[in-house]
Amino acid sequence: LAMAEKISDISEFGLIQRIRRARRAPNRNMILGIGDDAAAFRLSPGCVGLATTDTLLQGVHFDLRYCSYADIGWKAMAANLSDIAAMGGRPLLALISLTLTGSQRMEDIVQLYSGMRALAARYRVAIAGGDIVGGREFSLTLTVLGEGQEDNLGRRSGARPGDAVLVTGALGDSAAGLELLQAKGLFYRKAGMIPRDQAREARLLKKQLRPEPRIIEAQALARAVTLHGMIDISDGLSSELWHLSRESRAAIIVDQGALPIGSQAVKISRLLGKDPLNYCLHGGEEYELLFTLASKDLSKAGKALKKIGATYSLIGQVAAGRGVWLVDAGGRMSPLEDRGYKHRPS
Amino acid sequence: LAMAEKISDISEFGLIQRIRRARRAPNRNMILGIGDDAAAFRLSPGCVGLATTDTLLQGVHFDLRYCSYADIGWKAMAANLSDIAAMGGRPLLALISLTLTGSQRMEDIVQLYSGMRALAARYRVAIAGGDIVGGREFSLTLTVLGEGQEDNLGRRSGARPGDAVLVTGALGDSAAGLELLQAKGLFYRKAGMIPRDQAREARLLKKQLRPEPRIIEAQALARAVTLHGMIDISDGLSSELWHLSRESRAAIIVDQGALPIGSQAVKISRLLGKDPLNYCLHGGEEYELLFTLASKDLSKAGKALKKIGATYSLIGQVAAGRGVWLVDAGGRMSPLEDRGYKHRPS
């Protein structure tokens, strides 16, 4: 019966009690979690606090036709953890504000929290409080607090002429996977159909539905070298390169041949007759890290990243000047269009 | 022309630039504000962090017929600052997540921020970041971070048998003011009509539209004495007494004759033929502090509060047992109904 229980039938108090019971042992930074006027936490000695917030709306940031409530929870958590990673930080706790419409079942919200908790638990992030209100549009706002070293924060304004430009992982799989799903109108996950293709489907979807924030990578870098420019790729590489360039008041020159195009993006491009470079440059929701380093730190950073099994690519350099420039195989330099991924109501 | 500019015509980037330009010098705890992946801040030596979040929805938590965008901004900030006060803490920074519908004008959002900023500036709270998304329902989610002494946090679970129960200020004015407005259908603020009554109207509305969080009072208490139970009155006195009682696993006995009923609540009760006690016990959105103290600390606390010009009342005591009890003028004790103020979509 609990499965069919509608949120409109249960009180906010009942829901909070249920969320509270399911919580795991909090991390060592937590003092007070859910249940008081505010959560209380301590920062590790010598650390400064980091804080970020993101709102996800149904029909804009996620589509329940091809993602589950657990997927939404995971992704909302990933987006915020990724922002902490992009400062070179370690996440500590999350506050979760939900707007429920009455069409969510209790089980949906339990699943939403299980998705958030699955990712939070990997990085010992405590779910420490929040708010639940009733409205006309289902949405969630996550705030994540973390900590970092004041003298070694990765900043959007930190890129310096002469720096090398790097990116973790491969790019384009997330956007290509989503586009294929939308193009083919495949909603396997809901229908449970076409089992032969499901394994492939799941792989396609993984980067889109269960992105992994680069927490471990960010901390390995922060320990190994002095961080310069750093940002996470949530709105597409081109858009984030422009942010770095503008905030750092420097030019960025990208070597097109060095871009790490994801293998799924390549395959899907063939299927759809598209250019894989577009997914790599302009696809959103990658949650990879784009960062710049003094060239003297390159080998140290490389060693630190290899030690934890992380993949990364050297994709360009920072120069005095303005703008973002792409150099193609023939050595021709052209301005890179700032064409970030935009969420649009469906 | 800027006055008529619609949010749908301007980019999120443009809006952020405008908000960013208007920011004041941040407080000394801020390291990085708006414009990076996360805000960065430091805690004062020996302090622990505090974090709280609240979502306000149009038509549920506010009504644009009788409050301005600046009022909404102020109130959203007040609700969150009040939660930090209720821990005995000091607020440091706010993150603001907005869902805009396209029917807000640029000027509305500027006003919303001016309301938030007006209150934030009083307590040196930095507006340090946030998120702006487009949706179908106008809402705002504020997260406020603060700091407090780990060994002197006011907790909902902190009330001890033998403690005195106190409350700051007077109660009932906020709920009575709102009810009068709703009953009379007066929307002076918008219409600019009936100037003779406007001054009175403004006074009625002040507690409802521009509540003052008890930051100064909370800090004076935290410096003077050991905090025990503490909570802010956002959902009405009866509801908060029950929270304290349940979380502290103790009984609370309230002396009806000692309750500080607001003067506006008394006047409006006469006008509407209602019982002022109801506004005082069950009216919401007071943002006063309800707290308990060891009786040996009473005079020290009283001196500290008087020194800053704060009003407060001793309204009862904590006892071994369960439940919340009201003792009337005749000495009769009856259970106090848990009838908190509930926000309902209008």
Side-chain angles (χ1 to χ4, degrees):
Chain A
L1 256 173
M3 292 287 289
E5 208 174 359
K6 282 279 198 323
I7 297 299
S8 49
D9 300 335
I10 54 170
S11 67
E12 179 187 347
F13 186 74
L15 190 54
I16 291 169
Q17 289 300 314
R18 184 140 173 187
I19 291 162
R20 202 173 166 179
R21 275 200 303 274
R23 74 184 162 169
R24 296 283 177 276
N27 69 43
R28 68 190 161 80
N29 294 70
M30 291 305 303
I31 298 163
L32 273 177
I34 296 171
D36 220 305
D37 295 286
F41 59 98
R42 64 176 71 82
L43 298 179
S44 304
C47 281
V48 298
L50 301 170
T52 185
T53 192
D54 256 313
T55 295
L56 278 79
L57 295 180
Q58 177 169 0
V60 179
H61 301 90
F62 56 85
D63 186 332
L64 282 163
R65 285 175 302 176
Y66 50 86
C67 70
S68 68
Y69 279 91
D71 293 333
I72 297 164
W74 176 290
K75 202 160 162 179
M77 185 63 74
N80 281 278
L81 296 188
S82 181
D83 281 326
I84 298 294
M87 304 300 291
R90 182 171 84 94
L92 299 176
L93 63 122
L95 302 176
I96 296 148
S97 202
L98 292 179
T99 301
L100 303 178
T101 61
S103 64
Q104 286 80 42
R105 298 164 306 158
M106 176 63 112
E107 181 57 22
D108 298 333
I109 305 308
V110 168
Q111 284 302 313
L112 183 78
Y113 273 84
S114 82
M116 288 193 276
R117 210 173 268 120
L119 184 54
R122 284 194 196 202
Y123 301 107
R124 296 173 191 238
V125 173
I127 294 178
D131 194 13
I132 300 173
V133 302
R136 290 187 298 274
E137 188 169 31
F138 174 49
S139 75
L140 60 166
T141 298
L142 258 73
T143 301
V144 169
L145 303 182
E147 62 182 19
Q149 301 295 330
E150 181 170 357
D151 58 1
N152 204 20
L153 297 176
R155 302 177 190 221
R156 294 185 177 186
S157 60
R160 303 276 170 270
D163 278 4
V165 179
L166 300 98
V167 67
T168 60
L171 302 177
D173 290 346
S174 179
L178 180 63
E179 203 164 299
L180 180 64
L181 281 180
Q182 288 172 337
K184 293 173 75 177
L186 294 174
F187 307 118
Y188 295 31
R189 291 170 64 84
K190 248 196 173 153
M193 280 158 53
I194 323 183
R196 206 150 56 107
D197 281 2
Q198 264 192 334
R200 183 143 62 109
E201 198 72 1
R203 244 182 308 133
L204 279 179
L205 282 166
K206 191 164 182 293
K207 187 76 191 265
Q208 171 63 221
L209 297 177
R210 297 282 171 139
E212 193 71 47
R214 298 303 180 191
I215 303 286
I216 308 289
E217 290 77 358
Q219 285 179 71
L221 282 170
R223 274 192 304 267
V225 296
T226 301
L227 300 176
H228 279 196
M230 204 173 197
I231 193 168
D232 72 321
I233 307 177
S234 47
D235 293 334
L237 179 63
S238 65
S239 174
E240 311 301 355
L241 283 164
W242 272 101
H243 279 306
L244 270 189
S245 163
R246 271 190 296 254
E247 296 288 329
S248 299
R249 298 166 186 275
I252 299 180
I253 301 155
V254 175
D255 176 2
Q256 187 179 309
L259 290 172
I261 303 179
S263 57
Q264 299 292 350
V266 172
K267 280 182 211 156
I268 294 169
S269 301
R270 274 189 217 123
L271 279 171
L272 300 178
K274 301 276 179 93
D275 181 357
L277 187 65
N278 270 329
Y279 294 124
C280 173
L281 282 174
H282 308 297
E285 305 196 305
E286 298 282 2
Y287 303 114
E288 298 292 347
L289 292 174
L290 171 66
F291 56 104
T292 81
L293 294 175
S295 53
K296 70 172 177 56
D297 282 338
L298 264 185
S299 74
K300 239 192 290 181
K303 263 182 224 160
L305 288 174
K306 276 178 198 143
K307 204 171 156 189
I308 57 165
T311 59
Y312 66 97
S313 308
L314 176 62
I315 63 166
Q317 57 185 310
V318 183
R322 289 286 183 276
V324 180
W325 308 85
L326 196 65
V327 180
D328 69 14
R332 283 175 298 268
M333 195 162 109
S334 55
L336 177 63
E337 196 189 348
D338 179 4
R339 181 147 62 88
Y341 177 73
K342 295 274 177 286
H343 290 284
R344 302 231 176 277
S346 60
Chain B
L1 256 174
M3 292 287 288
E5 208 172 359
K6 281 277 197 322
I7 295 300
S8 50
D9 300 335
I10 54 170
S11 67
E12 179 187 346
F13 186 75
L15 189 53
I16 290 169
Q17 289 301 314
R18 184 138 172 190
I19 291 162
R20 202 174 167 178
R21 275 200 303 273
R23 74 184 161 168
R24 296 284 178 274
N27 69 45
R28 67 190 162 83
N29 294 71
M30 290 306 302
I31 299 164
L32 273 177
I34 296 171
D36 220 304
D37 295 287
F41 60 98
R42 63 176 72 83
L43 298 180
S44 304
C47 280
V48 297
L50 301 170
T52 185
T53 191
D54 258 311
T55 294
L56 278 77
L57 294 179
Q58 177 169 2
V60 179
H61 301 91
F62 56 85
D63 186 332
L64 283 163
R65 284 174 303 175
Y66 51 86
C67 70
S68 69
Y69 279 91
D71 292 334
I72 297 164
W74 176 289
K75 202 160 161 180
M77 186 62 76
N80 280 279
L81 297 189
S82 181
D83 280 327
I84 298 293
M87 305 298 292
R90 182 170 85 94
L92 300 176
L93 62 121
L95 302 176
I96 295 147
S97 201
L98 292 179
T99 301
L100 304 178
T101 62
S103 65
Q104 286 79 42
R105 297 165 306 159
M106 177 63 112
E107 181 58 21
D108 297 332
I109 304 308
V110 168
Q111 283 304 313
L112 183 78
Y113 272 85
S114 82
M116 289 194 276
R117 209 172 270 120
L119 183 55
R122 284 194 196 201
Y123 301 107
R124 295 173 192 240
V125 173
I127 293 178
D131 194 14
I132 299 172
V133 301
R136 289 186 299 274
E137 188 169 30
F138 174 49
S139 75
L140 60 165
T141 298
L142 258 74
T143 301
V144 169
L145 302 183
E147 62 182 19
Q149 302 296 330
E150 182 171 355
D151 58 0
N152 204 19
L153 298 176
R155 303 177 188 219
R156 293 185 177 185
S157 59
R160 303 276 171 269
D163 278 5
V165 179
L166 300 97
V167 66
T168 59
L171 303 177
D173 289 347
S174 178
L178 180 62
E179 204 165 298
L180 180 64
L181 281 180
Q182 288 172 336
K184 294 174 75 177
L186 294 174
F187 307 118
Y188 295 30
R189 291 171 64 86
K190 248 197 169 147
M193 281 158 54
I194 321 183
R196 203 150 56 110
D197 282 0
Q198 265 191 333
R200 182 143 63 108
E201 199 73 1
R203 245 182 306 133
L204 279 178
L205 282 166
K206 189 161 184 293
K207 188 76 191 266
Q208 170 63 221
L209 296 178
R210 298 281 171 138
E212 193 70 47
R214 298 305 179 190
I215 304 286
I216 308 288
E217 289 77 358
Q219 285 178 74
L221 282 170
R223 274 192 302 267
V225 295
T226 301
L227 299 177
H228 279 194
M230 204 172 198
I231 193 168
D232 71 321
I233 306 178
S234 46
D235 293 334
L237 179 63
S238 65
S239 175
E240 311 301 356
L241 284 164
W242 273 100
H243 279 307
L244 270 189
S245 163
R246 269 190 297 254
E247 297 288 329
S248 299
R249 297 166 186 275
I252 301 180
I253 300 155
V254 175
D255 177 4
Q256 187 180 309
L259 290 172
I261 303 179
S263 59
Q264 299 292 350
V266 172
K267 280 183 210 155
I268 294 168
S269 301
R270 274 190 216 121
L271 278 171
L272 300 178
K274 301 273 179 98
D275 181 356
L277 187 65
N278 270 330
Y279 293 124
C280 174
L281 282 174
H282 308 298
E285 306 197 304
E286 298 282 1
Y287 303 113
E288 297 293 348
L289 292 175
L290 171 65
F291 56 105
T292 81
L293 294 175
S295 52
K296 69 172 177 54
D297 282 339
L298 265 184
S299 74
K300 240 191 291 180
K303 263 181 225 159
L305 289 174
K306 274 177 201 146
K307 204 171 156 188
I308 57 167
T311 59
Y312 66 96
S313 308
L314 176 63
I315 63 166
Q317 56 184 311
V318 183
R322 290 285 183 278
V324 180
W325 308 85
L326 196 65
V327 180
D328 70 13
R332 282 175 297 269
M333 195 163 111
S334 55
L336 177 64
E337 196 189 348
D338 178 5
R339 182 146 61 87
Y341 177 73
K342 296 276 177 287
H343 290 284
R344 303 232 174 274
S346 60

